[in-house]
Amino acid sequence: RFREERQLLARLDHPHIARLLDAGLSEFGQPYLVMEWVDGVPLDVWRRQTQPSRDRMLDLWLDVAGAVAYAHRLLVVHRDLKPSNVLVTADGTAKLVDFGIGKRLDQTDTGTRTQHFTPLYASPEQLTGAAVSTSTDVFGLGLLLAELVSGAPPFGAPGLAPHEQARAVLEDPPSVGAGVPADLAAILLVALRREPERRYATVDQFADDVR
């Protein structure tokens, strides 16, 4: 997994993705990664602390979506998009981190990493063991945006047990918040469809509608 994450990160050079600076083995044979230091807070903490306007939240999300779309063009799927994996610095710059369960689309997935995700922020196909694709990140970006603009996850709640979180994602209708404008809510409902083929075909299409 360490070697695979290093290979993924080595392909990525984007202003909104934390950069890989070095990697190797210590004198004791322990693998290590040296990452860009991001002096920031998780996305949900940033929202609570700064109380940004909706336009500011959408601008920040578009930066994250741009980073994910860039990764997709290099055939890399993140697979773990959640607030704690988006850090926001004091000057308002978003940085996407942790490609630990990322996947290269041009390589066969061994399946050894698929259990290391948070059910509340997982796609239906991850929870059921179905094929993962760029559409998985479209769903993840939908989860991020829904929580960003409404203040709460669209499925379940953080306090639920993992199996209850998984059931909510697989069975409950998404809740995008009463205060979310109808056009934005409609966009989110497309991104959060359970069937991958019925979501936005690409992150760029999703971002264009948000923009």
Side-chain angles (χ1 to χ4, degrees):
R1 288 187 196 133
F2 234 90
R3 187 164 53 248
E4 289 172 6
E5 182 171 8
R6 181 182 65 194
Q7 291 170 350
L8 288 179
L9 289 168
R11 296 163 71 100
L12 305 177
D13 183 12
H14 189 276
H16 296 291
I17 297 177
R19 291 181 299 119
L20 174 69
L21 302 177
D22 194 13
L25 288 175
S26 73
E27 59 182 305
F28 305 106
Q30 186 176 38
Y32 65 84
L33 300 175
V34 181
M35 301 296 301
E36 170 190 4
W37 168 252
V38 181
D39 188 9
V41 297
L43 185 63
D44 52 345
V45 176
W46 171 80
R47 184 189 189 279
R48 289 196 304 271
Q49 289 180 347
T50 63
Q51 297 293 305
S53 67
R54 183 179 292 126
D55 282 351
R56 179 69 189 97
M57 289 188 284
L58 294 182
D59 284 341
L60 191 95
W61 180 88
L62 285 167
D63 288 341
V64 177
V68 175
Y70 165 81
H72 287 181
R73 288 192 286 275
L74 296 181
L75 303 179
V76 174
V77 180
H78 189 280
R79 299 204 294 187
D80 197 20
L81 296 171
K82 56 188 178 184
S84 60
N85 282 342
V86 177
L87 300 180
V88 186
T89 64
D91 66 358
T93 300
K95 289 280 189 175
L96 181 60
V97 301
D98 196 354
F99 280 77
I101 65 167
K103 178 182 185 296
R104 282 179 56 174
L105 293 174
D106 56 349
Q107 289 186 342
T108 302
D109 190 354
T110 63
T112 58
R113 299 166 295 173
T114 55
Q115 298 304 312
H116 299 271
F117 52 74
T118 305
L120 194 62
Y121 296 103
S123 66
E125 56 268 28
Q126 286 174 289
L127 294 170
T128 60
V132 169
S133 68
T134 55
S135 188
T136 300
D137 282 350
V138 169
F139 191 90
L141 285 168
L143 294 172
L144 277 182
L145 182 57
E147 183 166 350
L148 193 56
V149 296
S150 70
F155 299 101
L160 294 176
H163 73 279
E164 294 173 318
Q165 294 178 359
R167 185 209 57 75
V169 173
L170 291 172
E171 299 177 9
D172 292 350
S175 172
V176 297
V180 176
D183 54 351
L184 183 54
I187 290 169
L188 286 167
L189 292 177
V190 174
L192 294 173
R193 286 172 175 163
R194 289 194 172 86
E195 305 86 1
E197 67 277 6
R198 296 184 62 232
R199 299 173 199 151
Y200 286 100
T202 65
V203 170
D204 285 331
Q205 287 184 8
F206 186 6
D208 284 344
D209 272 4
V210 171
R211 196 172 287 109

